[in-house]
Amino acid sequence: MSKPTKSQVPDARTSRSGRPELRGLAMELLTLEWDPLPRMSRPRWLAWLPHVALVYAAVVSCALTAAHLEDHYGVTGGPVVAMALLTGASIVLGMFRPLAGWWLGLVTAALIAWTIHDKVGQGQTWPWTPAGTFTFAPLILLVALRVPPRVTIGVVGVSILYSGLAEAFFRPPNSQTVVAGLSLLFAFVGVLGYALRATRLARGKLVEQESLTAEERARRTLLEERSRIARELHDVVAHHMSVISIQAQVAPHLVENPSEELKENLAGIRENALEALTELRRVLGVLRSEQPDDPANPHHPQPTLAELDGLVDNVRGAGLDVTTEIAGIRRPLTPGVELTAYRIVQEALSNCLRHAPGSRVEVGIAYGPHDLHLCVANTAPTRPAAPSPGAGHGLLGMRERAGMLGGELAAGPRPDGGYEVTAVLPMDPQNLPGGPAPETKKDS
């Protein structure tokens, strides 16, 4: 006899497909883990409103339970106090352990049903008192707000099943059925809690996605700014490499009877300079091909602080009151520092035009022994600023420029309602772009 193939053997998992799921649902219903009710995010001053409302509901449930047991069912003494306190305690417990609160409420409902079983009169409800269904509904809502949908379905199903079995097997002769009404109530509360939970989770995912989008935008802006800086610094480096090449070519003619070794060394220097210049231009060609209209192209020389007056005049022409003050001995700086200082002042003035229309702006430049100090400060705007479509990452670019030279940049609001941008750049930065930035000492 041939053995049955694997496809012919019934799979135990297939034949019992429902049992593992039911077992998992039962385990989840018995999980009484700590899960406090979250606060409201907006508005903040109403953050604890749900907790206050539930505590109030717990107090009202205690009072209603005691009143119904005494007035409608004739129960007096200690059992009334005990079951009223258990009813309120189940709601309070549900604020922190939703399934534990629900189980306590269900057990309390069963105790109440057992206590009033022989005292039910004509037309009175059982196993739930008139107030019992409404004091139990908040427990289902608390569960639905914080558990997966299938657990909510299980909670609603067990609650309705308890009511149906109690009426089917232990219903007093004169009692009135409430299964249909409470089934609708419990199902509605479960759906409401699920909808509120889904809305809260969707809002949380939206906030998380917005945060990730902002981080990605900032990262992309940083990379774009670094590419722009690289394109601008190329002209600075290329100029020096060209000078080295020309000096190496001219040097033999400035010496009488130069030796062959000197000629070979100078020729090697010139050749290496030309090769480095060629590689720089090749790399820059890739960067510039993405933005052919960028100002940092060979047809636009890189600006320096010598052109600061023209920049300030353009800003004044746009309607901004700008004053400049230069302290210290004005002297030429390295091209990288000149370019970075110009760009920082340019970006700061652009921010003043964009965000502080009608303000007065002061531009200060101080030449220190080792550092160049920049300060662009504006007063409070006199008229509202137009909405800006940009991403608002100008400060990111300024910090990146200052950091590449080993400098520092700070920006923040002023007490008078204005804004201030300050930067400290080393006069002679020793690090190359992309290398480790040297530590700079802060002026006291």
Side-chain angles (χ1 to χ4, degrees), residues 30-218:
L30 295 174
T31 302
L32 309 180
E33 62 182 5
W34 179 268
D35 188 8
L37 184 69
R39 296 180 297 173
M40 293 179 61
S41 58
R42 295 178 184 177
R44 293 184 177 180
W45 62 279
L46 290 178
W48 295 102
L49 178 62
H51 302 75
V52 174
L54 286 171
V55 171
Y56 178 77
V59 174
V60 173
S61 297
C62 288
L64 286 177
T65 301
H68 276 260
L69 289 177
E70 291 180 349
D71 298 341
H72 294 271
Y73 297 94
V75 182
T76 58
V80 175
V81 177
M83 285 180 283
L85 292 177
L86 285 175
T87 301
S90 63
I91 297 179
V92 175
L93 180 60
M95 294 168 56
F96 306 97
R97 298 181 186 270
L99 288 173
W102 171 72
W103 278 115
L104 180 59
L106 195 62
V107 171
T108 303
L111 290 175
I112 293 175
W114 177 75
T115 302
I116 66 175
H117 183 273
D118 297 331
K119 302 178 188 261
V120 178
Q122 183 68 34
Q124 290 183 320
T125 60
W126 190 91
W128 298 90
T129 64
T133 54
F134 295 99
T135 57
F136 189 75
L139 298 176
I140 298 179
L141 179 63
L142 289 173
V143 171
L145 286 172
R146 286 171 285 171
V147 300
R150 65 173 186 168
V151 180
T152 300
I153 294 175
V155 166
V156 174
V158 170
S159 303
I160 296 175
L161 181 63
Y162 154 74
S163 304
L165 292 177
E167 284 200 6
F169 295 101
F170 306 102
R171 176 184 175 186
N174 300 325
S175 66
Q176 181 180 355
T177 180
V178 292
V179 173
L182 69 87
S183 298
L184 292 176
L185 175 63
F186 291 170
F188 170 76
V189 172
V191 172
L192 176 63
Y194 165 75
L196 293 176
R197 176 178 180 269
T199 302
R200 177 170 57 87
L201 293 178
R203 186 181 295 113
K205 290 183 178 179
L206 179 61
V207 172
E208 181 181 359
Q209 186 61 39
E210 289 178 349
S211 176
L212 293 175
T213 302
E215 292 178 2
E216 181 63 27
R217 186 185 299 115

Side-chain angles (χ1 to χ4, degrees), residues 331 391 398:
R331 56 189 184 274
M398 287 192 283

